[in-house]
Amino acid sequence: MSPLQTNYHTHSLYCDGKEPLSAFIAAATKLNYQQLGFSSHAPVPFENDFGIHEEEINNYCQEIDQLQMQTPIQLLKALECDFIPEMTKPFVYYKETYNLDYIIGGVHLVRPQNDDRIWFIDGSDRQIYDDGLRELFDNNIKRAVTTFWEQTFEMLETQKMDIIAHFDKIKMHNQDRFFTEDERWYRILAEKALQLIKSHDVIIEINTRGLYKKRCNAFYPATPLLMQARKMDIPVVISSDAHKSEDLGQFCPEAWNELQRCGYDHTVHFDKARKMWV
């Protein structure tokens, strides 16, 4: 299966996506996709406008099954689960309860130690990132970024996921303002994440959303981390992290070229018959 004929990270109207499931299938058909995985944001235990409501998950799964009868593209059911220590449900709960094909794990919401407040590191508004850095971490960027990575470590050590989403997304709103990715303390943290990804048999995605949304000047993860991942033989998928149907395939040929420059000669894909990645 071609690396450019799949997308496993797709958001629809069930969460913070902007179009119905059917619109993504129509776009995927034009792109000659063989597989399309839907991955709504899983519920989190507070009011929000980005996650699916748990009472809607069965409807979400049923609609995907109904649409499967109308398309030759193999459709997959998944959730992108946020990990917030002592707040979110175990990832395995969603996979088993709703018979999902896979789970994407990620950290978008950073919880400082001994604090119930949350630092939102994603989204379109950079000011939210800056405000959280000031209010929750007293503008101590090293402490803030370390908290992000330590939360990522805990997620990898305690949760079962198939793919880790945009695992260095902490860089997005930084844009080299507060730290640089070649600083030794940062490299040590990012490389520890790779070691845990490897030891827990997790797939990384090369995520293109930061580029086509013009929020980041590089893929997630950055090239040095991709090169290290290849040396460690960590499997990879290409992801457009689509929230609109037009997002599918954006910068994906460039992502495949980047992977090849880093030494990859293939990506993995999901074998639905065997319920496993190959």
Side-chain angles (χ1 to χ4, degrees):
M1 193 175 297
S2 165
L4 302 179
Q5 290 181 305
T6 64
N7 191 74
Y8 299 110
H9 194 157
T10 315
H11 299 284
S12 70
L13 290 176
Y14 280 99
C15 58
D16 62 346
K18 306 304 180 186
E19 294 181 84
L21 302 174
S22 58
F24 293 92
I25 296 170
T29 300
K30 293 179 181 178
L31 291 167
N32 296 314
Y33 277 19
Q34 293 188 33
Q35 286 186 327
L36 179 62
F38 290 106
S39 56
S40 284
H41 288 287
V44 291
F46 49 82
E47 192 67 29
N48 67 88
D49 59 3
F50 57 82
I52 190 170
H53 296 291
E54 185 155 1
E55 58 269 24
E56 282 292 300
I57 298 178
N58 278 324
N59 293 336
Y60 165 73
C61 293
Q62 289 169 10
E63 184 175 354
I64 294 171
D65 289 339
Q66 290 165 359
L67 289 167
Q68 180 65 87
M69 295 186 287
Q70 303 170 27
T71 178
I73 298 172
Q74 191 172 61
L75 305 180
L76 303 173
K77 299 189 288 282
L79 289 174
E80 181 182 8
C81 295
D82 260 287
F83 175 73
I84 310 172
E86 301 178 7
M87 291 185 68
T88 46
K89 289 183 179 179
F91 295 177
V92 69
Y93 163 81
Y94 293 108
K95 190 169 187 179
E96 293 182 352
T97 301
Y98 300 101
N99 192 28
L100 301 177
D101 294 307
Y102 61 94
I103 292 288
I104 300 175
V107 174
H108 306 78
L109 301 145
V110 178
R111 182 182 183 186
Q113 192 172 15
N114 302 318
D115 196 326
D116 288 335
R117 294 176 296 170
I118 298 294
W119 183 33
F120 183 48
I121 65 163
D122 200 0
S124 59
D125 188 352
R126 189 171 73 173
Q127 191 60 47
I128 294 174
Y129 178 98
D130 291 2
D131 290 346
L133 176 61
R134 183 185 68 256
E135 294 167 10
L136 278 67
F137 298 96
D138 298 319
N139 281 327
N140 185 328
I141 190 63
K142 187 173 181 179
R143 181 159 62 90
V145 171
T146 298
T147 302
F148 164 82
W149 283 114
E150 288 178 344
Q151 189 167 314
T152 300
F153 303 157
E154 186 176 351
M155 176 180 70
L156 287 161
E157 291 170 330
T158 64
Q159 305 300 311
K160 179 62 178 174
M161 73 205 77
D162 298 270
I163 301 169
I164 184 167
H166 40 62
F167 80 92
D168 63 345
K169 193 158 199 176
I170 191 66
K171 73 187 182 186
M172 183 178 80
H173 284 311
N174 172 58
Q175 298 176 359
D176 290 333
R177 294 180 300 146
F178 304 112
F179 69 92
T180 61
E181 294 167 71
D182 60 358
E183 292 180 54
R184 186 171 182 273
W185 66 269
Y186 181 88
R187 292 201 314 271
I188 289 171
L189 291 165
E191 289 171 6
K192 180 176 178 179
L194 283 176
Q195 292 164 5
L196 290 169
I197 287 167
K198 175 64 177 179
S199 64
H200 291 279
D201 298 319
V202 176
I203 299 162
I204 62 169
E205 63 170 16
I206 179 169
N207 185 304
T208 68
R209 185 168 176 79
L211 283 169
Y212 68 78
K213 294 296 288 184
K214 298 181 179 179
R215 296 175 186 164
C216 187
N217 61 3
F219 296 108
Y220 312 113
T223 298
L225 297 178
L226 277 176
M227 294 180 71
Q228 184 64 26
R230 178 63 192 95
K231 290 177 183 177
M232 299 169 71
D233 202 25
I234 294 172
V236 64
V237 295
I238 297 172
S239 166
S240 55
D241 195 351
H243 288 63
K244 298 179 181 178
S245 59
E246 66 188 33
D247 296 343
L248 287 176
Q250 290 286 332
F251 280 86
C252 290
E254 292 86 347
W256 177 226
N257 289 337
E258 178 77 348
L259 285 174
Q260 291 176 297
R261 283 194 292 272
C262 292
Y264 281 94
D265 58 11
H266 71 282
T267 60
V268 295
H269 68 273
F270 190 74
D271 184 332
K272 193 164 184 177
R274 293 188 290 168
K275 285 275 188 178
M276 63 183 293
W277 295 89
V278 294

